[in-house]
Every structure is written in structure tokens, then in C-alpha cells.
Amino acid sequence: RIAQEQENIRLIDTANAPIFGVDTEGKVTVWNKCAADVTGYQSEDTMGRHLTSEFITSDFRASVQEVLDRALQGKETANFEFPLVTKDGHSRVEVLLNATARRDVEGRVVGVVGIGQDITARIAQEQEYIRLIDTANAPIFGVDLEGKVTVWNKCAARLTGYTEEDTMGHHLTSQFITEDFRASVQEVLDRALQGKETANFEFPLVTKDGHSRVEVLLNATSRRDVEGRVVGVVGIGQDITGRIAQEQEYIRLIDTANAPIFGVDTEGKVTVWNRCAADVTGYTADDTMGHHLVSEFITEDFRASVQEVLDRALQGKETANFEFPLITKDGRSRVELLLNATSRR
């Protein structure tokens, strides 16, 4: 048994993790080499001294003492974060602690053993991430499993007028998303909580003044804890309000142009049909949208040549001054057009 105890002591002392122990009075009984390395306090500095009052920062003494008291009652605590004071007094070591009761051979609790993990670097990295998120030139928000806001960076505040204090702890979709988009945004968040990311999702955020809204292009991804469990969603956005306004202006200019303008997708189906095209052919936008241009609205003798022009444009090769006829709705005439065909990107 003595040989086993000595082996246990050796393993504890050489472990690559800070390990300490206290007795029932909270006085240090174990302080391994790693604990000495990360704090600067040697075993001789700590043994017999009260852990919480001498080696824990004042803001954490009560909570650490509570963890130790629970362990003395046989109730273990896992993944408790707290700081240890360093000997130089200029820094502190952040520790992720598992605390468990220490028992004698008869099973009586005689103290607590704490096995830690030095997470100082990880916390510093997290703080750097927080700083980068907060100062990013893009709206970034986060929600927890209940959809309540946990992150709201300065750019999101600037665009919407809602400060971090206005949003933290409030439900994102019910309070900050326009009513017509609440269901679809909630669906995106729910998917992210299931580990399914969504890219380039467009939706509007409500502004505090209530007179406008901010159009956002969103990438939503799961937010995970150190053990890989999903704990929320982080959304990184792009303000596309200006771009959408410009697109709407282009649509207005196209629709009111004094020339027939049409567009097709990669399958040749109509996606644009302006008022002038409707006026000269008799076919309204409702008549044409989603229908195949060549097979339904081009005279049979020109279908092959018009299709060739469209195919070339889809390959990035423009065609200028191409003459062809469009069928009119009454079927008794046709409209002769001089076409410039270009790719739409």
C-alpha cells in the first residue's frame, strides 16, 4: 500500500496539470510541480496555509470556498473556472478546476483534491476574439440556445441604433427582426443549433428609430463550448442596404426604359420582362416570367439563331445588333428587334 501511495504522489507531482489538495480546514496539503511552475509559489510556500484566503483573488474567494465546501460534503464540481494568484503579484493564472473529495482508507472525507487545467492562454485568446468581434467592420451578433442575444458588436449597434445594453438577453427574432422574416430567420438559427450552417441569407434588422431597416447578408454558424457542444449561434453579417437600394433602382430603370428589355436564366427561362417589352408584344411580365423565351416567344424560323446568341452570352461572349422577331400575343403580327445580348453575372 505504501508503495502504491508513493507512486500516486509521484504521478501527482509530475503531472502536466496543476494539482492541489486541502484538508478539512482548507489548508494546503498538496501542491505539485506544475502548480508551482504556473504560480511561482513553491510547495514550501503553500503547505499548511489557507488556500482561498492567501492564493485566490478576492473576487473569487467566496465561490472557490463554496466549491471546496461542496467537495467536503462529497459533492464534486467539474469545469469550474477561477484564478490563482501568482507570486509576483503582477498576473494571475486562470484555472479550469475539477474538485473532488479526498478520503482516507475508511472512506471518510479528509480533504479536497483539485485537478486543474491552465486556461490562461485560452482566456486571453477568447478576449482577443471578443475584441476583434466588437471592433469588426461588419455586424456580428450571437444568441444562446433560447435565441436570446449574447453578442452584439459595435457595428450592429451603429447600423441599428440599438446598443449592446438594449439587446443583451432579449429574444433576437421576436424583438429585432421584421415580422415578415421572423419565421425564416428562426429557421436559420434552429438549423445552426443543429450544427447546420447557413451562408448568404438575406434578412432585415429593425432599427431603433422604427423608420427604416437594415438589410443584412448573413452567415450563421454554431457556437460551441470547449467540449464541442453547441451553446448558441454566431451570425456574421454584411450590410447590403445600399446594394439592395441600388438593385431596386436598376430594376426601376429597366422597367421604365423606353426600349424592350428582357432577361433569361441559365435555362433560358424569362427572369426580366420590362414594360416596353410588354407594350410591343402584348405579353405582360406575368405572362412570360418563368417561361422559356426561345420556344414560346420567338418565331420558329429564328429559334435556333436566337438560342445560339443566348448560349454565346452564357459563355461570356456578347452579341451586338442582332436582328430577330418576337411573337405578339394576338398572333397576327410580330415585332422586329435589334438586340444587344450580354451576360448577366
Side-chain angles (χ1 to χ4, degrees):
R1 196 191 79 187
I2 290 176
Q4 180 68 53
E5 288 177 354
Q6 290 175 334
E7 175 63 9
N8 290 342
I9 291 169
R10 188 190 68 78
L11 290 173
I12 287 171
D13 201 40
T14 58
N16 190 28
I19 299 175
F20 64 84
V22 297
D23 61 19
T24 54
E25 296 180 352
K27 294 179 179 179
V28 177
T29 55
V30 176
W31 193 265
N32 77 340
K33 288 179 182 177
C34 186
D37 290 341
V38 298
T39 64
Y41 287 107
Q42 299 304 309
S43 176
E44 296 77 13
D45 298 324
T46 60
M47 298 295 277
R49 296 171 66 178
H50 199 267
L51 177 73
T52 54
S53 61
E54 297 190 60
F55 304 106
I56 306 297
T57 59
S58 59
D59 51 330
F60 272 82
R61 282 175 191 158
S63 55
V64 171
Q65 188 61 54
E66 183 181 350
V67 167
L68 298 181
D69 290 343
R70 284 174 56 83
L72 289 171
Q73 295 165 18
K75 302 170 184 174
E76 300 186 2
T77 298
N79 298 328
F80 175 73
E81 291 186 24
F82 76 101
L84 282 171
V85 175
T86 57
K87 193 170 185 177
D88 63 18
H90 303 310
S91 57
R92 64 188 203 175
V93 179
E94 301 289 342
V95 174
L96 188 66
L97 177 73
N98 291 333
T100 186
R102 191 177 185 186
R103 300 176 184 273
D104 63 16
V105 291
E106 296 178 358
R108 293 172 300 197
V109 175
V110 294
V112 179
V113 61
I115 301 175
Q117 178 185 349
D118 180 5
I119 58 171
T120 310
R122 193 196 80 191
I123 287 182
Q125 187 179 51
E126 288 175 353
Q127 291 172 337
E128 175 64 8
Y129 286 156
I130 290 169
R131 188 191 66 80
L132 290 173
I133 285 170
D134 200 42
T135 59
N137 191 28
I140 300 176
F141 64 84
V143 297
D144 61 18
L145 296 173
E146 297 178 349
K148 294 179 179 177
V149 177
T150 55
V151 176
W152 191 266
N153 77 339
K154 290 177 181 176
C155 185
R158 186 172 64 252
L159 290 172
T160 64
Y162 288 107
T163 65
E164 185 180 40
E165 291 75 18
D166 293 329
T167 59
M168 296 296 276
H170 292 265
H171 198 268
L172 178 73
T173 54
S174 62
Q175 294 184 253
F176 305 106
I177 306 297
T178 59
E179 189 174 356
D180 51 331
F181 272 82
R182 283 176 191 161
S184 55
V185 171
Q186 189 60 55
E187 184 180 350
V188 167
L189 299 180
D190 290 342
R191 284 175 56 83
L193 289 173
Q194 296 166 17
K196 302 169 185 174
E197 300 185 1
T198 298
N200 299 328
F201 175 73
E202 292 186 22
F203 76 101
L205 281 170
V206 175
T207 57
K208 194 170 184 177
D209 63 18
H211 303 311
S212 58
R213 64 188 204 174
V214 179
E215 300 289 342
V216 174
L217 188 67
L218 179 73
N219 290 334
T221 186
S222 309
R223 191 175 186 187
R224 299 176 184 272
D225 63 15
V226 291
E227 296 178 355
R229 293 173 299 201
V230 174
V231 294
V233 180
V234 62
I236 301 175
Q238 179 185 348
D239 178 11
I240 57 171
T241 310
R243 193 196 80 188
I244 286 181
Q246 187 179 51
E247 288 175 353
Q248 290 172 336
E249 176 63 9
Y250 287 157
I251 290 169
R252 189 190 67 79
L253 290 172
I254 287 171
D255 201 42
T256 58
N258 192 27
I261 299 175
F262 64 83
V264 297
D265 60 19
T266 54
E267 295 179 352
K269 294 179 179 178
V270 177
T271 55
V272 176
W273 192 266
N274 77 340
R275 292 179 189 175
C276 187
D279 290 341
V280 298
T281 65
Y283 287 107
T284 66
D286 294 335
D287 294 329
T288 59
M289 298 296 276
H291 291 263
H292 199 269
L293 176 74
V294 174
S295 62
E296 296 188 58
F297 305 105
I298 306 297
T299 59
E300 188 174 356
D301 50 331
F302 271 84
R303 284 176 188 161
S305 56
V306 171
Q307 188 62 56
E308 183 181 350
V309 167
L310 298 181
D311 290 342
R312 286 175 55 82
L314 289 172
Q315 296 165 17
K317 301 169 185 174
E318 299 184 3
T319 298
N321 299 326
F322 175 73
E323 292 185 23
F324 77 102
L326 277 173
I327 295 172
T328 58
K329 192 171 185 178
D330 61 19
R332 294 193 291 271
S333 58
R334 64 188 201 175
V335 180
E336 300 290 341
L337 294 182
L338 189 65
L339 177 71
N340 291 331
T342 185
S343 308
R344 190 177 185 189
R345 298 179 184 274

